[in-house]
Amino acid sequence: PCPTRLGVAMTALIASSLASGEAHAQTGVDPLATGIFVRAGFVLSSFDPGAMCFRPQRGPRGSAPPPGLTGKQLGFGEMALAGFTAGIGFDARWFYVRVGADLYEFPTIRGELAPAFRARFTTLAWVSAGPRLRVGPVVLNAGVRFGAMFMNVTEVGPTREGREFSAVDGVFALDVGAQWRPTRWLQLDASVGQDFVTSLGATTFS
């Protein structure tokens, strides 16, 4: 009878272990799970709008369009801006693709030889893609980011119809980041991008 009882006990232990492992697999979260998700959060960027070329959009009513100016002539230089980022991401098993836009709050800048100017909008639109690598419960991302910085600035003065300029400049950056998925429906991630190619020299953390 002893071998029979031992066999029954071993069978029960193996069955219990398999059932426990199956239940854990069902309730656990796969860090490399494939899916499409909405990504939203805060962003902080450092870049040089002084290197951008601003083209005239309109001048005071009844006057000729003003000439184009550089960001330095408008009083812009290296600065750090905070804002909001939103986009859509696609995670495959071993690579990711993201499309999004960063919206920044721009201060009023007064140059030495120019009136004060303020950006009506400052937006960085971008696409990022690269491979994914799992390290325990965390997934590491490393890829490239292509994008464009859009700015529209107006002169701040006593009248409401000051000069208006707009500019667009490209961004080519290396992106690295990490993702952690505590639940099936929530993913937390952080990424840092550095532009080594264009004149903006943007560094972005989101």
Side-chain angles (χ1 to χ4, degrees), residues 122-136:
T122 306
T123 304
L124 176 60
W126 50 267
V127 177
S128 178
R132 308 174 72 211
L133 174 65
R134 177 178 176 177
V135 180

Side-chain angles (χ1 to χ4, degrees), residues 18-199:
L18 292 176
S20 176
E22 182 178 359
H24 177 74
Q26 290 177 351
T27 59
V29 178
D30 181 8
L32 288 176
T34 298
I36 298 176
F37 61 94
V38 176
R39 182 176 185 265
F42 296 100
V43 61
L44 178 65
S45 291
S46 172
F47 62 98
D48 184 12
M52 301 178 74
C53 180
F54 289 81
R55 299 181 180 277
Q57 296 301 302
R58 63 178 176 85
R61 184 172 300 174
S63 64
L69 298 172
T70 66
K72 291 188 180 299
Q73 290 175 296
L74 296 177
F76 301 156
E78 186 77 22
M79 60 178 61
L81 299 179
F84 177 78
T85 182
I88 296 177
F90 171 70
D91 283 348
R93 193 71 181 172
W94 303 111
F95 71 91
Y96 72 95
V97 178
R98 293 177 182 168
V99 180
D102 305 335
L103 309 176
Y104 300 96
E105 177 65 24
F106 197 88
T108 300
I109 304 295
R110 184 178 297 277
E112 296 181 358
L113 303 176
F117 283 87
R118 181 179 179 85
R120 297 175 60 191
F121 62 82
T122 306
T123 304
L124 176 60
W126 50 267
V127 177
S128 178
R132 308 174 72 211
L133 174 65
R134 177 178 176 177
V135 180
V138 177
V139 175
L140 302 181
N141 301 330
V144 294
R145 175 184 296 199
F146 301 92
M149 175 73 76
F150 301 91
M151 291 184 65
N152 180 279
V153 300
T154 56
E155 183 179 352
V156 179
T159 64
R160 301 180 63 181
E161 295 193 26
R163 294 177 294 172
E164 180 179 340
F165 300 86
S166 65
V168 58
D169 206 342
V171 172
F172 181 85
L174 297 180
D175 263 353
V176 294
Q179 297 174 310
W180 175 54
R181 184 174 293 180
T183 70
R184 180 180 179 184
W185 302 108
L186 176 65
Q187 177 171 283
L188 305 177
D189 73 79
S191 62
V192 179
Q194 177 61 58
D195 182 357
F196 294 101
V197 179
T198 70
S199 57

